[in-house]
């Protein structure tokens, strides 16, 4: 069984600032770092580091060799990457003194997927595989429909919010990864329990992982809810913490762990991630995650 990720890839231009820029303001950044990122690439690397066999399917734009190299370095299979005309996906990220970020995204070739590309990649898959997709590429609805029609389980990270999001075939999604803001967009409610109740009723087949920032996360499957808290640690950079959570959680699910163990593993992995700068490079190795779990490095979990 493998994870086939139709995953966005970006070059992240990350600027350290004291505070985020306000409209009309010009300020000098404290430093600039260029990282490999993109929700798709980060999630592939997180799942691979967690121990999953991962195939990454994407278009490789201009100047994107570093993105392929990063996937290769981290044990992700890249034979489904195809060179394409056009700029690579890239971002301008501000990270403030509290480690919070805001991201300006340019989709580039992430938005140039075609039906032929998707069909060709899926031809190499079998029904036992899991397909993963984020909302940073085009063809999301087609990928979900096609993979599901082939009997594959589909994991969808509904981030970022776009106009198309509400029209996607959520009834074909097995695992839905959302945060509170995406949950509110899908349901009209800002209350976590209500979000889960509405989505659970609307899409009974869908297992939902709702992340709640400092309130931890909730997993809802087959009418049962499992909650997890957070480990409060000093935050350096939150970029890719959500992707780390998704990749680790999915790998643990595919490995047959209990919902609570999946949540715990993913929480420990993302706690390690926020203590490091950058995107893909800040994702911890499985050994580091297991050691932190064994040694209870982060102390008592807070469940708020
Ligand atoms: O989730 C973090 C990622 O979002 C960054 O790496 C950036 O590229 C954006 O896609």
């Amino acid at each position: 069984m493998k994870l086939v990720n139709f995953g966005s890839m970006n070059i992240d231009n990350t600027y350290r600032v004291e505070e985020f820029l306000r409209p009309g303001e010009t300020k000098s950044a404290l430093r600039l770092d260029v990282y490999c990122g993109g929700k798709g690439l980060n999630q592939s690397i997180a799942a691979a580091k967690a121990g999953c066999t991962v195939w990454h399917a994407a278009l490789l734009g201009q100047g994107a060799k570093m993105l392929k190299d990063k996937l290769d370095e981290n044990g992700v299979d890249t034979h489904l990457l195809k060179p394409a005309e056009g700029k690579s996906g890239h971002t301008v990220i501000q990270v403030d003194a509290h480690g919070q970020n805001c991201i300006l995204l340019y989709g580039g070739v992430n938005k140039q997927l075609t039906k032929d590309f998707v069909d060709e990649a899926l031809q190499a898959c079998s029904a036992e595989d899991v397909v993963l997709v984020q909302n940073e590429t085009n063809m999301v609805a087609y990928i979900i429909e096609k993979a599901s029609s082939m009997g594959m389980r589909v994991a969808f990270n509904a981030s970022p919010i776009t106009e198309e999001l509400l029209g996607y075939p959520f009834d074909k999604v097995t695992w839905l990864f959302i945060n509170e803001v995406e949950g509110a967009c899908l349901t009209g409610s800002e209350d976590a329990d209500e979000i889960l109740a509405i989505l659970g009723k609307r899409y009974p087949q869908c297992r939902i992982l709702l992340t709640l920032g400092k309130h931890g996360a909730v997993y809802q499957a087959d009418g049962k809810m499992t909650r997890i808290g957070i480990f409060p640690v000093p935050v350096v950079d939150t970029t890719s913490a959500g992707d780390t959570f998704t990749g680790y959680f999915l790998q643990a699910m595919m490995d047959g762990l209990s919902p609570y163990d999946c949540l715990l593993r993913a929480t420990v992995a993302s706690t390690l991630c926020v203590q490091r700068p950058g995107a893909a490079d800040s994702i911890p190795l499985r050994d580091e995650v297991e050691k932190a779990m064994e040694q209870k490095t982060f102390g008592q979990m807070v469940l708020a």
Side-chain angles (χ1 to χ4, degrees):
M1 188 199 316
K2 61 184 174 290
L3 181 65
V4 183
N5 185 5
F6 286 89
S8 57
M9 308 198 293
N10 297 323
I11 294 171
D12 287 346
N13 300 290
T14 301
Y15 298 86
R16 280 266 160 193
V17 293
E18 276 302 328
E19 284 178 5
F20 296 147
L21 281 186
R22 282 183 290 252
E25 205 170 39
T26 303
K27 257 187 185 174
S28 290
L30 303 174
R31 62 177 282 163
L32 163 65
D33 294 287
V34 179
Y35 296 117
C36 295
K39 294 184 196 309
L41 177 140
N42 297 337
Q43 290 172 22
S44 275
I45 289 178
K49 282 186 169 176
C52 199
T53 300
V54 185
W55 288 9
H56 194 98
L59 296 178
L60 204 54
Q62 287 159 11
K65 185 178 174 300
M66 67 188 273
L67 300 174
K68 178 182 183 303
D69 291 347
K70 187 57 69 180
L71 289 168
D72 286 333
E73 255 169 50
N74 285 284
V76 175
D77 186 306
T78 54
H79 81 278
L80 295 177
L81 294 189
K82 281 257 161 68
E85 294 289 324
K87 281 217 178 301
S88 161
H90 56 271
T91 59
V92 172
I93 302 183
Q94 296 178 51
V95 178
D96 74 6
H98 307 287
Q100 300 305 311
N101 65 48
C102 60
I103 302 179
L104 176 67
L105 172 67
Y106 179 79
V109 296
N110 292 318
K111 296 281 188 185
Q112 291 175 20
L113 302 187
T114 60
K115 282 188 179 174
D116 285 350
F117 173 81
V118 174
D119 291 348
E120 205 178 303
L122 285 175
Q123 254 169 33
C125 302
S126 58
E128 63 176 14
D129 296 334
V130 172
V131 160
L132 170 63
V133 65
Q134 309 74 32
N135 199 23
E136 275 188 347
T137 63
N138 64 331
M139 303 299 292
V140 171
Y142 184 75
I143 293 166
I144 296 173
E145 298 271 10
K146 184 84 199 254
S148 151
S149 76
M150 291 171 65
M152 300 169 78
R153 289 165 295 168
V154 177
F156 175 46
N157 175 208
S159 179
I161 295 170
T162 57
E163 273 176 23
E164 299 88 38
L165 184 64
L166 290 172
Y168 289 156
F170 287 92
D171 57 321
K172 309 267 168 42
V173 171
T174 312
W175 288 285
L176 174 62
F177 292 84
I178 49 172
N179 64 21
E180 280 164 300
V181 182
E182 290 135 16
C185 167
L186 291 173
T187 62
S189 170
E190 289 183 1
D191 178 81
D193 290 335
E194 225 168 74
I195 291 171
L196 289 169
I198 296 170
L199 291 176
K201 203 163 167 201
R202 220 186 270 166
Y203 313 113
Q205 88 301 335
C206 200
R207 300 160 191 178
I208 302 164
L209 192 284
L210 174 63
T211 52
L212 300 166
K214 63 180 190 307
H215 299 296
V218 194
Y219 179 62
Q220 174 173 277
D222 309 316
K224 281 195 209 121
M225 279 204 232
T226 313
R227 291 175 192 275
I228 194 129
I230 58 151
F231 296 107
V233 292
V235 173
V236 172
D237 184 352
T238 57
T239 313
S240 82
D243 302 327
T244 301
F245 199 104
T246 300
Y248 264 86
F249 184 88
L250 209 46
Q251 187 279 333
M253 271 281 144
M254 288 169 72
D255 233 15
L257 267 59
S258 73
Y260 185 79
D261 287 341
C262 295
L263 285 171
L264 181 60
R265 199 166 273 252
T267 300
V268 170
S270 54
T271 304
L272 285 161
C273 171
V274 298
Q275 295 179 285
R276 301 165 181 177
D281 287 337
S282 66
I283 299 167
L285 294 166
R286 183 178 172 139
D287 282 356
E288 298 175 275
V289 175
E290 284 174 351
K291 196 164 151 208
M293 286 170 71
E294 269 161 38
Q295 299 183 346
K296 301 200 184 328
T297 307
F298 304 124
Q300 203 64 32
M301 177 179 287
V302 175
L303 192 56

